Amino acid sequence: MLGAPMGLGALGLGFWAQAVVPGSSRINGPLLEAMLASPPPHAVPKGSARDDLQDVAAERTATAGAGYALAEPAKGTPLELEIRVAVVRETDQLQLSASGPWWLRKSNGSVLRQGSAADTINLNASETLPAELWLETSAGHAVRVNGHNYDGRVRVLHDSGGLLAVNHLPLEAYVASVVGAEMPSSWSLEALKAQAVAARSYALAHMARPANRHWHLGNTTRWQAYRGLASSHPRTRQAAAETRGLILSYQGGIVESLYAATSEISMEAHGHLGASMSQHGAQALASSGQRYNEILGHYYRGASLARLRQGSG
């Protein structure tokens, strides 16, 4: 049985009074030429990062699970969301490329430069550059910023502070990367799944309250660690896929699900805020046979699981 849907478009964070608070292969010849001649469609994002949750809602369960276990909402049609992550900020230089054919576009979608996997382009903040550029590649390939591979595409903004590179990518690809950056991929799948839900909920909280009009959150542990494809592993992608769309909710709000490596660090860093998951503790609970929803219920008491869906709520 499902409870009432929550609208997330203009949703603030749920502040919890006691138990919980928010806390590649190279392509050559005619095939390459054909791909370079036919770049993928250029999708124009919404004007502000604050608009990226419009028409998104979540269904939460009206029943409780057994013990600390959080009841799992019924499966539904997967929702595709794009998250914006600042991967390089206020720099004088950027090196851009891709693992396949790439296109550097202006904000209106017109192609400024294009190249193959063997080509790179260097941008310098001292040059006369358009205020906005997009680095895109074909399906199945990665874009590269300063040698680091990323899913999706990269938006480059040029302002008085220098160059800013923002990775626009699917939320679930982001979650899989965060799980691999925050936990060893060899850990129990149930611990990885608990981390996936916590990472997704944390990301949604920052999509509802973005750090900047152009990006939702950064890529360091100031937010949560994100290393692009370098930390995306088959097991972390499985953890993201098996919890697809699930977030933590409390009283209609998104839980900014805090976590840290150990219970000691968690208490020191987040004790004054409320609930926080110990990652080593999650692994220990998973090793004792607990499922991801039991692990989450242990650390985020009073929470419920909600599943993202399309709809105005």
Side-chain angles (χ1 to χ4, degrees):
M1 177 178 173
L2 295 178
M6 308 180 296
L8 300 185
L11 185 65
L13 302 185
F15 289 87
W16 300 37
Q18 295 182 9
V20 182
V21 296
S24 84
S25 62
R26 188 167 170 177
I27 304 174
N28 294 301
L31 177 59
L32 173 60
E33 293 175 1
M35 295 177 75
L36 288 174
S38 304
H42 175 67
V44 179
K46 294 180 174 65
S48 170
R50 296 184 183 277
D51 300 327
D52 286 346
L53 286 184
Q54 287 181 350
D55 299 325
V56 178
E59 294 281 3
R60 55 189 176 84
T61 54
T63 58
Y68 289 140
L70 304 184
E72 299 172 279
K75 294 187 181 300
T77 303
L79 174 67
E80 299 294 337
L81 283 176
E82 184 180 77
I83 191 168
R84 310 180 186 189
V85 187
V87 293
V88 181
R89 297 165 59 195
E90 297 183 344
T91 186
D92 292 332
Q93 293 183 326
L94 282 176
Q95 184 183 78
L96 306 177
S97 60
S99 64
W102 55 261
W103 300 267
L104 189 67
R105 299 180 187 257
K106 298 179 182 179
S107 59
N108 63 6
S110 63
V111 176
L112 180 66
R113 291 277 299 275
Q114 62 187 48
S116 69
D119 302 317
T120 62
I121 181 170
N122 294 292
L123 301 181
N124 195 303
S126 63
E127 300 174 11
T128 301
L129 297 171
E132 176 182 330
L133 292 167
W134 288 88
L135 175 67
E136 299 176 348
T137 189
S138 56
H141 290 286
V143 289
R144 289 183 181 139
V145 180
N146 294 344
H148 299 287
N149 289 338
Y150 297 99
D151 264 313
R153 54 198 182 138
V154 170
R155 185 184 191 185
V156 177
L157 298 167
H158 188 201
D159 59 23
S160 58
L163 299 175
L164 165 69
V166 181
N167 185 198
H168 288 231
L169 77 158
L171 174 62
E172 297 302 330
Y174 168 78
V175 169
S177 174
V178 170
V179 172
E182 291 284 357
M183 273 187 177
S185 60
S186 60
W187 278 15
S188 166
L189 182 61
E190 295 302 313
L192 297 177
K193 288 164 68 174
Q195 178 67 69
V197 176
R200 186 182 298 107
S201 190
Y202 184 94
L204 258 288
H206 285 269
M207 290 182 74
R209 188 195 62 192
N212 181 280
R213 74 177 304 270
H214 297 300
W215 46 278
H216 297 118
L217 73 177
N219 63 341
T220 69
T221 53
R222 158 65 179 81
W223 289 273
Q224 51 187 4
Y226 169 64
R227 301 199 200 100
L229 288 172
S231 57
S232 183
H233 182 275
R235 299 187 79 246
T236 69
R237 293 193 289 273
Q238 180 182 355
E242 292 187 8
T243 62
R244 187 180 184 89
L246 289 179
I247 62 170
L248 289 162
S249 169
Y250 180 75
Q251 294 185 350
I254 309 168
V255 177
E256 186 179 14
S257 40
L258 305 173
Y259 53 86
T262 66
S263 57
E264 292 78 13
I265 297 174
S266 177
M267 180 59 66
E268 180 180 350
H270 307 139
H272 63 294
L273 296 174
S276 174
M277 183 177 72
S278 162
Q279 293 164 311
H280 281 274
Q283 169 66 358
L285 292 173
S287 298
S288 71
Q290 292 199 26
R291 296 187 64 237
Y292 81 96
N293 57 329
E294 295 176 287
I295 296 169
L296 292 170
H298 177 86
Y299 287 108
Y300 304 105
R301 298 183 186 181
S304 62
L305 286 174
R307 191 181 299 278
L308 300 173
R309 68 168 179 77
Q310 192 71 38
S312 60

